Amino acid sequence: MKTLAARAGERPDRLTPAHYEPSRVPAEVRRYAGRPQALGVGKPGKIGLLELGFERIGARTELVTHYQKSPLQIMRPLYFDPARPDLAVTLLMSTGGGIVQADRLRMDLHCGAGTAVHLTTQAATKIHRMDADYATQQVFLHADADAYVEYLPDATIPYRDSRFYQRTVVTAAPSATVLAGETVMAGRLAHGERNAYQVFASDLEFRRPDGRLLALDTLRLTPGSDGGGVTGPAVLGGHDLVGTFYAVTPLAPAAEVADAMHEALRACGLLFGVSVLPEDCGAWLRVLGGDSPTVNAALRQAWDAVRRLLIGAPAPELRKS
């Protein structure tokens, strides 16, 4: 493996704003731009970078390139899925206790032809309180021909007075399969904190290698001072968690993928919806609930059902403790 963690000089453009700043920040977030009295944008520890490259080598997928800049880091990939011993399970980690104001994070994850990769976070992503500026995270995931990739991070928890924008761009070759998910909580529910953040914005894009857009999922949550701006119809509707699961794949017809998700959640007792994606490139699911265990269980059931349909293997038990 070529480790680049201590060789930032090879690519000085990594530390330029054009690389770590999003090309466009939603107005709902951008209006909070400012200069914190503490560490500002561009200071040491504020720009987190992670670049991973996976390739198929022999019978399994290997991590062949790796660059990290704190607070982002990983441990070595693990291989513990008994049904898919070739699958490189990689935990995305942070050296800090969460995301704070003026953080600019970027991950570039490249999965080569024929690779099998599972990417997840070590724990929930916590967005801390902010009094100046905002925080951003960008994720650029590439899946080359015949790759099988799962990108399933744990929930994101926006704390009181936080401002956050996340952009995730998944570029998948027509023969690649990508399962991707996102879960957002209303806040620190155990502390009685619900929808007290100032803004949570997220864009999830699926594209082909030529740049053509397949699907775009845009989320803009702006609760307002009383939290009421996200509790009505067509938003969260009084629920505390929203989870989304995408399956972009050529391995089964889109209608069969959608049916598998629907059948898996039929008896879950939660409000959910399933539909096929444009051009029948796959299917997606959105689920609303009131507690983490129930929503996480529903998303796992959908993941397990899609996995069994596409590759004939159940979802493995992930060891994160």
Side-chain angles (χ1 to χ4, degrees):
M1 179 180 69
K2 183 181 181 183
T3 301
L4 306 178
R7 299 166 63 185
E10 286 188 357
R11 288 222 6 227
D13 61 298
R14 285 191 180 103
L15 300 182
T16 62
H19 183 70
Y20 60 75
E21 290 276 10
S23 59
R24 183 190 64 84
V25 177
E28 297 91 336
V29 178
R30 192 173 61 250
R31 65 191 180 98
Y32 290 104
R35 293 186 176 182
Q37 293 182 351
L39 291 174
V41 177
K43 299 297 183 181
K46 303 300 291 181
I47 304 171
L49 303 175
L50 183 63
E51 300 170 12
L52 305 178
F54 296 90
E55 297 292 343
R56 184 82 178 189
I57 299 177
R60 73 179 192 181
T61 296
E62 300 282 359
L63 179 65
V64 296
T65 60
H66 171 204
Y67 170 83
Q68 64 186 40
K69 181 182 180 300
S70 183
L72 297 180
Q73 67 176 25
I74 65 163
M75 302 296 285
R76 287 184 177 274
L78 305 174
Y79 301 86
F80 57 76
D81 185 347
R84 289 296 301 262
D86 62 322
L87 183 77
V89 179
T90 307
L91 271 63
L92 311 174
M93 305 165 63
S94 173
T95 57
I99 297 175
V100 299
Q101 63 189 17
D103 277 359
R104 300 293 188 265
L105 309 179
R106 172 170 174 155
M107 290 185 279
D108 292 87
L109 313 169
H110 195 133
C111 303
T115 55
V117 183
H118 178 96
L119 299 157
T120 186
T121 51
Q122 183 186 30
T125 299
K126 304 172 182 65
I127 315 298
H128 289 279
R129 184 171 186 166
M130 303 175 186
D131 56 31
D133 207 65
Y134 52 84
T136 66
Q137 175 170 277
Q138 300 183 89
V139 180
F140 297 95
L141 172 62
H142 292 259
D144 290 346
D146 300 317
Y148 176 82
V149 182
E150 299 174 336
Y151 176 67
L152 302 173
D154 285 354
T156 300
I157 308 175
Y159 286 14
R160 180 181 301 276
D161 292 333
S162 62
R163 310 116 177 210
F164 182 63
Y165 173 56
Q166 175 173 274
R167 183 188 182 205
T168 303
V169 181
V170 177
T171 301
S175 60
T177 291
V178 178
L179 309 184
E182 178 181 73
T183 303
V184 181
M185 295 180 63
R188 292 178 293 180
L189 304 181
H191 293 259
E193 186 179 285
R194 284 176 171 79
N195 300 312
Y197 51 91
Q198 292 181 326
V199 57
F200 177 91
S202 173
D203 291 326
L204 176 58
E205 307 171 26
F206 288 90
R207 295 183 178 274
R208 289 303 188 203
D210 62 2
R212 182 165 54 91
L213 181 66
L214 289 176
L216 171 63
D217 188 2
T218 298
L219 185 64
R220 301 288 186 269
L221 299 177
T222 53
S225 59
D226 61 353
V230 298
T231 57
V235 197
L236 298 182
H239 299 278
D240 289 329
L241 290 92
V242 55
T244 308
F245 181 82
Y246 276 87
V248 173
T249 180
L251 301 181
E256 290 186 18
V257 178
D259 287 346
M261 291 187 190
H262 189 275
E263 185 61 29
L265 270 66
R266 181 188 297 274
C268 72
L270 299 175
L271 183 65
F272 73 94
V274 178
S275 66
V276 299
L277 291 170
E279 302 182 24
D280 287 338
C281 68
W284 75 297
L285 157 76
R286 178 156 286 161
V287 58
L288 296 169
D291 64 87
S292 293
T294 304
V295 172
N296 289 341
L299 291 172
R300 179 179 174 79
Q301 288 167 356
W303 172 36
D304 180 76
V306 171
R307 237 180 173 254
R308 291 175 186 271
L309 172 67
L310 299 182
I311 63 173
E317 292 293 336
L318 299 179
R319 303 189 291 266
K320 297 187 180 182
S321 57

